[in-house]
Amino acid sequence: MPVPVPQLGSFDYVPETKENLDWADLVTVDLSLYSTPEGKKQLAQTLINAIRNEGFLYVKNFNISQERVNRQFALGKQFYELPLEEKEKYTPEGLDQGKFNGYIPAGRRIINLDTGLRDKTEMYNIPKFTGEFPHTHPELIRKNLPEIEEFARALHTEVLDPLFVLLAIALELPEDYFTKIHQYSVKSEDHLRYMKYSKYSLEENKSLDNWGYGHTDLGSFTLLFRQPVAALQIRSHLDNEWKWVKPQDATLTVNACDALQFLTAGYVKSTIHRVTVPPLDQQHVDRLGLLYFSRPHNDVPLATIQESPVLKREGFTKNEFEISENPVPTMEEWTFAKQKWQRTKGYHGDSKYRNAVILPGFAEKPYV
């Protein structure tokens, strides 16, 4: 049953762009079909094709109302209206070492080396509600924690658990294979994120190719709620072309991430994506994001799954660590190694940063 909620006011979405952009042709996983064996089988094939080819997909009919989603956007908007000095009270100690729960301020990255222009991206990450993580928040967040917890837990039961079941079916594994290593009650570095990209001036945008470089996410699945400011682009696994991701009403946008790539030795590919300069008719507004990052339990080794007949038939038997005979990291080790790299201050466009060795056996690549 939904918890009682404080008044938040409304959240108004900006109009979608009228520009004719080169939109990615993404498939939709309709979870209304999930209730039957035939529907699961169909959806499993849709899912695996999507994350092997384009890497992104839409999910609809996931049993979370638009009103509940709107309230989370309203919370994010109100959080970013707090004074900077108030938000900075919640910046985690150890940010440079990969800590990420709490407030991450803008301006840590140089995005134009010629002008010294810095990023305008802020994040507020809220970890799991399992007792292992401190929940020290400003009053705005603190008084809404029951609702935030309910929302985060619903994302597991209504979205992530079905997706993990479908992935297991596609790999001919027991249906609970992935849900067993993604239980909400077990410690992992999952988090809900309110994310704000503040607008740049028209002149600043003219000097930029992108607001953020191409990258992959480090976990299992990332869930992105619809917001209408077009800026997200993905690089297709099929032709390496960049295309825009179109906002779709009443959907989640989902992408596969590094942990699934390691666990399947590259059969599932971690999706390359970036945030670029919005179209001209949307450059006058800020871009507010609502995301959820799913990750396996901290103690899960990121070794190739040996039980999947599909992986064996297709020849996906060793990941980068195993091929190079380096130690296979746990999810916790991988998380903080990559987070430390991601949180590096300065210019992220140089080759030293873009080709950094995250752990022995795995080096990053420049995705432009």
Side-chain angles (χ1 to χ4, degrees), residues 44-59:
Q45 195 59 49
T46 300
L47 173 69
I48 199 66
N49 287 343
I51 58 180
R52 279 179 53 74
N53 295 332
E54 295 297 338
F56 268 70
L57 62 141
Y58 300 114
V59 174

Side-chain angles (χ1 to χ4, degrees), residues 97-138:
Q97 282 67 52
K99 299 293 185 182
F100 53 88
N101 289 323
Y103 175 66
I104 300 173
R108 291 174 58 84
R109 294 180 292 112
I110 298 170
I111 59 174
N112 186 315
L113 195 58
D114 295 330
T115 64
L117 183 64
R118 292 184 174 270
D119 76 273
K120 297 184 179 182
T121 306
E122 301 171 84
M123 307 175 200
Y124 193 73
N125 296 325
I126 301 176
K128 279 180 162 183
F129 295 84
T130 55
E132 290 101 347
F133 301 96
H135 277 275
T136 305
H137 305 284

Side-chain angles (χ1 to χ4, degrees), residues 206-236:
K206 288 177 183 178
S207 74
L208 297 173
D209 294 320
N210 300 291
W211 283 3
Y213 288 97
H215 65 281
T216 61
D217 294 343
L218 64 86
S220 300
F221 285 121
T222 298
L223 311 181
L224 171 66
F225 282 88
R226 176 199 176 273
Q227 64 79 39
V229 180
L232 177 62
Q233 292 184 330
I234 63 170
R235 200 175 84 177
S236 170

Side-chain angles (χ1 to χ4, degrees), residues 13-284:
Y13 295 90
V14 302
E16 293 186 16
T17 181
K18 293 181 171 58
E19 292 193 23
N20 184 23
L21 303 177
D22 187 10
W23 300 110
D25 185 16
L26 303 182
V27 301
T28 300
V29 169
D30 182 355
L31 290 180
S32 68
L33 305 175
Y34 182 77
S35 59
T36 67
E38 297 79 12
K40 281 184 180 177
K41 185 176 179 180
Q42 175 187 333
L43 292 177
Q45 195 59 49
T46 300
L47 173 69
I48 199 66
N49 287 343
I51 58 180
R52 279 179 53 74
N53 295 332
E54 295 297 338
F56 268 70
L57 62 141
Y58 300 114
V59 174
K60 69 177 183 179
N61 292 321
F62 45 85
N63 201 33
I64 297 174
S65 71
Q66 188 62 45
E67 179 185 4
R68 291 168 72 187
V69 174
N70 291 349
R71 285 184 60 84
Q72 291 303 311
F73 273 105
L75 263 174
K77 180 176 182 292
Q78 290 187 22
F79 171 80
Y80 287 115
E81 290 171 350
L82 294 174
L84 178 60
E85 57 270 23
E86 174 67 11
K87 292 181 289 188
E88 286 183 329
K89 293 177 184 177
Y90 304 95
T91 298
E93 292 185 16
L95 182 59
D96 292 338
Q97 282 67 52
K99 299 293 185 182
F100 53 88
N101 289 323
Y103 175 66
I104 300 173
R108 291 174 58 84
R109 294 180 292 112
I110 298 170
I111 59 174
N112 186 315
L113 195 58
D114 295 330
T115 64
L117 183 64
R118 292 184 174 270
D119 76 273
K120 297 184 179 182
T121 306
E122 301 171 84
M123 307 175 200
Y124 193 73
N125 296 325
I126 301 176
K128 279 180 162 183
F129 295 84
T130 55
E132 290 101 347
F133 301 96
H135 277 275
T136 305
H137 305 284
E139 175 62 19
L140 169 69
I141 300 297
R142 191 163 59 249
K143 69 184 181 182
N144 287 282
L145 278 182
E147 181 181 3
I148 294 169
E149 177 179 357
E150 181 190 59
F151 186 77
R153 288 181 179 273
L155 292 177
H156 269 255
T157 57
E158 303 294 346
V159 183
L160 291 166
D161 284 353
L163 291 179
F164 287 130
V165 168
L166 296 176
L167 180 59
I169 292 171
L171 297 179
E172 299 176 14
L173 292 164
E175 288 193 7
D176 63 355
Y177 189 94
F178 290 105
T179 56
K180 279 184 176 179
I181 61 172
H182 291 88
Q183 297 176 64
Y184 192 89
S185 59
V186 179
K187 187 175 183 180
S188 66
E189 305 299 327
D190 294 40
H191 54 281
L192 180 74
R193 174 180 294 175
Y194 307 126
M195 190 169 188
K196 182 183 179 183
Y197 296 85
S198 292
K199 60 182 176 291
Y200 293 86
S201 69
L202 291 178
E203 286 304 311
E204 288 172 331
N205 277 326
K206 288 177 183 178
S207 74
L208 297 173
D209 294 320
N210 300 291
W211 283 3
Y213 288 97
H215 65 281
T216 61
D217 294 343
L218 64 86
S220 300
F221 285 121
T222 298
L223 311 181
L224 171 66
F225 282 88
R226 176 199 176 273
Q227 64 79 39
V229 180
L232 177 62
Q233 292 184 330
I234 63 170
R235 200 175 84 177
S236 170
H237 296 314
L238 295 176
D239 58 17
N240 287 327
E241 293 293 321
W242 290 99
K243 293 184 181 296
W244 298 76
V245 177
K246 187 176 181 62
Q248 298 277 12
D249 288 340
T251 67
L252 279 164
T253 305
V254 178
N255 62 282
C257 311
D258 296 349
L260 293 183
Q261 178 168 303
F262 293 140
L263 291 169
T264 64
Y267 186 75
V268 172
K269 298 177 176 67
S270 192
T271 313
I272 302 163
H273 55 289
R274 67 187 181 191
V275 174
T276 193
V277 178
L280 191 59
D281 61 357
Q282 291 185 321
Q283 290 186 18
H284 62 290

